[in-house]
Amino acid sequence: MRTSDDPGDQRFLLATLPPRAGQTRLAIGTVAGLLVALAVAAPFARLTLDGTAVLLPAYATAVLLTELMTAVLLFALYATQRTPALLALAAGYLTTALLIVPWALTFPGVFAPTGLLGAGLQSTAIVAAGRRIGLPLFILAYALLKVMEAGPREAHRPVLPAIAGGMALAVVLAGGLTAFALADDALLPRLMIDTMRETPLWRVVPVSALALCAAALAVLWRQRRSVLDLWLMVVLGAWAIETCLLSFISAGRFSAGWWSGRVFGLAASSIVLLVLLAEMTTLYGRLVRSVAAERRVRDARLASLEALSASIAHEVNQPLASMVTNAGAGLRWLDRPSPNLVEVRAALKRISDDGHRAARVIACIRDSFRKAPPQRSRLDINGVIRSALDRTEGERRLNRIAVRTDLQQRLPAVNGSAVQLEQVLLNLIANADDAMAAVTDRPRVLSIRSRRRGLTDVIVSVEDTGTGLQPAQEERLFEPFFTTKEHGIGMGLTICQSIVEAHGGRLWVAANQPHGAVFRFTLPADDEPERPEAGAALERTP
Ligand code: ADP
């Protein structure tokens, strides 16, 4: 059976899963993108930058990456959940991610004294206002859409066009605002007095952002239903703190308060990403485990089906062989000049008994695989031994095998299934007969002995003078499907062992002296006050 460490179970894990063609193309595209970025950055590589010129682009890059990744994960989530709310949130994160680029590029004194892209005094502030108000606005849109979407999901709507639409909206919004921010400075609202100080009009931005944060928080609080909702509330908290630090507490651009506000901003940008990654990893792990467990159940079912069919084949072979032997004997009695009808009748009776026994064996095997409790009763094991010897007498006569029995009188009863215990004895006797078939230089003797062992057990031994055991094979005899016989199945001893163990006993093998093998099994004695008569089967064995 497979375990979770089995390589077969690892094929769902990222660490071992082979990449699809699309993923390889994406990886190559990523490397190409990195090379383009290098080509763009190389001409500036030798410029000496002051602290702000280093920190601000680094901060912007971190925000850009985390918000982009968050947007990608949210779009992926939308692909499975198909709710407009998720689409709005993903588009929102993409918009704010895109806006950080013109924000950093136009920031005065970072890449150029008045910023790149031909930026004016108001450009960075306009883009910053878009980001500040944009994120809580999109989260509010997400919360409101969630309230409205009590109905069924848009399972019918094609995913890719919707995602493309969301991305296009983000590009249009970010591009439109950037174009507006880069327009003639005289036409823009006056948010900055100079590169360091804001006008009173700027206050509108943080106040609107805080109002939107409060509104989104209220809506999410009222209908908080998912892990994402919970963490979006934390994002809004961090965003509100950043807004307060930047606009009301700090001493303006580049002050300590302004930078610490940026730390809150980075936290706000990363929270959803971290939560999504953590949740996805957990869910993914759970999925892998449940798929592996399902596969183990299926393997176990297959293995038990295989064992079931092998056991049926094995156990039915014996009555079939005995039926063939008895039919042959019956025919020989009939073929005589004066047919002996008494012997023919006896042979037919044995054939009929074997037919019934085969049916009972199949029922028993089926029960044992269904884990149905076997039909148990108090029985005399000596009666079971005699019954098994009677059944196999024909074959033994053909193979010229002598039998010696040494069955202890007044043996305690055992509690068990007569059919199953007889099956054990029939298997052991058939194996002993097989092991002696090739022996020609000594008598072929099958000895069966029963004894009480200690206070609690009954022990039965089946000895032969056959070929004996190969030391290397001894440990494997009880393994399913282990056989050294040309037409063997290798289930006989496995079945014997499981029957004996199910009865609370033990089965083992040893070398017989000077030749052959001896199989012994114990069964717990059932010392009820009502003791069986020695040698009498309490349950009539078939
Ligand atoms: P099968 O009879 O189909 O081979 P079993 O599980 O009954 O399956 O036996 C497994 C193997 O154990 C046999 O193939 C044989 O090699 C060995 N074995 C069983 N009984 C004896 C015995 N009495 N003497 C020697 N070898 C034995």
Side-chain angles (χ1 to χ4, degrees):
M1 196 186 291
R2 290 186 153 152
T3 67
S4 53
D5 299 330
D6 191 305
D9 288 342
Q10 313 276 319
R11 60 190 173 133
F12 305 104
L13 299 176
L14 279 183
T16 48
L17 189 72
R20 290 191 306 273
Q23 287 166 328
T24 312
R25 279 199 297 275
L26 184 65
I28 294 171
T30 309
V31 173
L34 289 173
L35 290 175
V36 170
L38 173 68
V40 171
F44 306 100
R46 288 173 179 275
L47 283 182
T48 309
L49 302 172
D50 67 16
T52 303
V54 176
L55 273 179
L56 200 121
Y59 164 77
T61 309
V63 170
L64 174 69
L65 289 179
T66 51
E67 291 187 356
L68 269 184
M69 284 190 276
T70 310
V72 169
L73 287 180
L74 287 170
F75 278 123
L77 208 57
Y78 168 77
T80 52
Q81 304 222 331
R82 315 252 180 121
T83 61
L86 272 177
L87 192 60
L89 191 63
Y93 265 93
L94 186 56
T95 311
T96 54
L98 294 177
L99 280 176
I100 198 89
V101 179
W103 178 77
L105 291 181
T106 58
F107 211 102
V110 175
F111 293 104
T114 54
L116 294 178
L117 308 174
L121 183 59
Q122 308 304 328
S123 302
T124 315
I126 299 282
V127 175
R131 262 183 63 79
R132 182 113 334 260
I133 292 175
L135 188 76
L137 189 64
F138 276 108
I139 296 181
L140 180 63
Y142 161 85
L144 292 174
L145 282 169
K146 245 191 125 176
V147 174
M148 292 187 301
E149 89 196 11
R153 302 218 167 113
E154 307 173 313
H156 54 279
R157 193 196 266 197
V159 174
L160 283 181
I163 291 179
M167 289 182 171
L169 176 74
V171 172
V172 168
L173 285 176
L177 190 72
T178 307
F180 175 66
L182 296 176
D184 188 354
D185 220 46
L187 302 175
L188 298 176
R190 293 193 59 75
L191 299 176
M192 302 297 289
I193 301 168
D194 54 32
T195 57
M196 299 300 276
R197 287 173 303 148
E198 297 121 6
T199 62
L201 183 61
W202 169 259
R203 296 272 148 139
V204 176
V205 174
V207 169
S208 318
L210 287 176
L212 284 168
C213 280
L217 257 174
V219 181
L220 281 177
W221 181 264
R222 281 199 52 189
Q223 46 116 38
R224 178 164 46 105
R225 278 182 246 143
S226 65
V227 180
L228 184 59
D229 296 355
L230 176 74
W231 287 99
L232 280 175
M233 285 165 37
V234 179
V235 170
L236 287 167
W239 199 254
I241 293 175
E242 186 198 10
T243 307
C244 291
L245 264 172
L246 293 183
S247 304
F248 304 118
I249 302 174
S250 77
R253 279 181 179 172
F254 307 136
S255 65
W258 190 86
W259 277 118
S260 55
R262 295 288 157 207
V263 175
F264 282 93
L266 194 55
S269 301
S270 332
I271 285 171
V272 172
L273 177 67
L274 293 178
V275 170
L276 284 175
L277 285 178
E279 282 301 300
M280 279 181 182
T281 312
T282 312
L283 292 176
Y284 178 67
R286 221 179 280 160
L287 185 73
V288 169
R289 277 197 298 280
S290 82
V291 169
E294 238 169 57
R295 202 134 54 86
R296 279 200 297 277
V297 168
R298 203 183 56 216
D299 284 354
R301 209 176 291 147
L302 278 182
S304 76
L305 261 181
E306 209 176 315
L308 174 68
S309 42
S311 335
I312 290 180
H314 184 274
E315 297 308 314
V316 171
N317 261 347
Q318 255 168 12
L320 280 181
S322 158
M323 283 158 116
V324 170
T325 311
N326 282 312
L331 284 173
R332 279 194 299 280
W333 288 118
L334 271 179
D335 284 346
R336 289 189 165 195
S338 51
N340 186 337
L341 292 183
V342 177
E343 288 291 352
V344 173
R345 168 180 285 275
L348 285 175
K349 169 83 173 53
R350 284 196 295 273
I351 291 173
S352 150
D353 284 353
D354 279 328
H356 289 303
R357 203 177 78 77
R360 273 194 303 275
V361 166
I362 290 176
C364 260
I365 294 176
R366 221 177 33 215
D367 283 353
S368 71
F369 277 88
R370 256 202 242 131
K371 303 276 178 266
Q375 300 287 312
R376 296 217 170 152
S377 55
R378 296 185 81 230
L379 48 97
D380 171 22
I381 197 72
N382 288 341
V384 181
I385 294 170
R386 284 194 199 99
S387 169
L389 283 173
D390 282 353
R391 267 181 211 301
T392 46
E393 199 193 332
E395 288 112 278
R396 244 184 340 268
R397 212 182 300 145
L398 282 180
N399 291 331
R400 296 173 197 290
I401 295 172
V403 180
R404 273 185 214 143
T405 50
D406 177 7
L407 308 182
Q408 186 177 358
Q409 296 294 299
R410 305 197 68 77
L411 204 59
V414 295
N415 189 3
S417 154
V419 177
Q420 288 190 339
L421 292 176
E422 194 180 321
Q423 226 175 303
V424 172
L425 280 153
L426 287 170
N427 276 329
L428 297 180
I429 292 171
N431 277 344
D433 290 354
D434 288 346
M436 291 187 286
V439 170
T440 51
D441 59 343
R442 55 181 180 266
R444 300 170 183 168
V445 184
L446 169 73
S447 311
I448 302 196
R449 178 197 294 253
S450 67
R451 286 281 179 278
R452 177 172 196 135
R453 193 169 87 150
L455 289 175
T456 53
D457 286 347
V458 168
I459 182 166
V460 176
S461 63
V462 178
E463 300 175 19
D464 62 65
T465 57
T467 48
L469 309 162
Q470 303 295 322
Q473 289 170 358
E474 221 168 285
E475 288 165 11
R476 305 192 51 205
L477 297 192
F478 297 96
E479 284 177 14
F481 307 112
F482 174 80
T483 182
T484 55
K485 299 175 194 169
E486 199 184 336
H487 300 293
I489 297 179
M491 282 302 289
L493 289 177
T494 312
I495 295 170
C496 291
Q497 194 174 47
S498 70
I499 291 177
V500 169
E501 286 177 358
H503 279 75
R506 209 165 68 79
L507 168 68
W508 69 101
V509 65
N512 194 21
Q513 294 306 331
H515 301 287
V518 46
F519 284 84
R520 295 193 173 90
F521 65 89
T522 57
L523 293 168
D526 185 359
D527 275 320
E528 292 282 308
E530 172 215 341
R531 290 171 70 103
E533 281 303 306
L538 297 181
E539 180 198 300
R540 285 215 67 77
T541 51

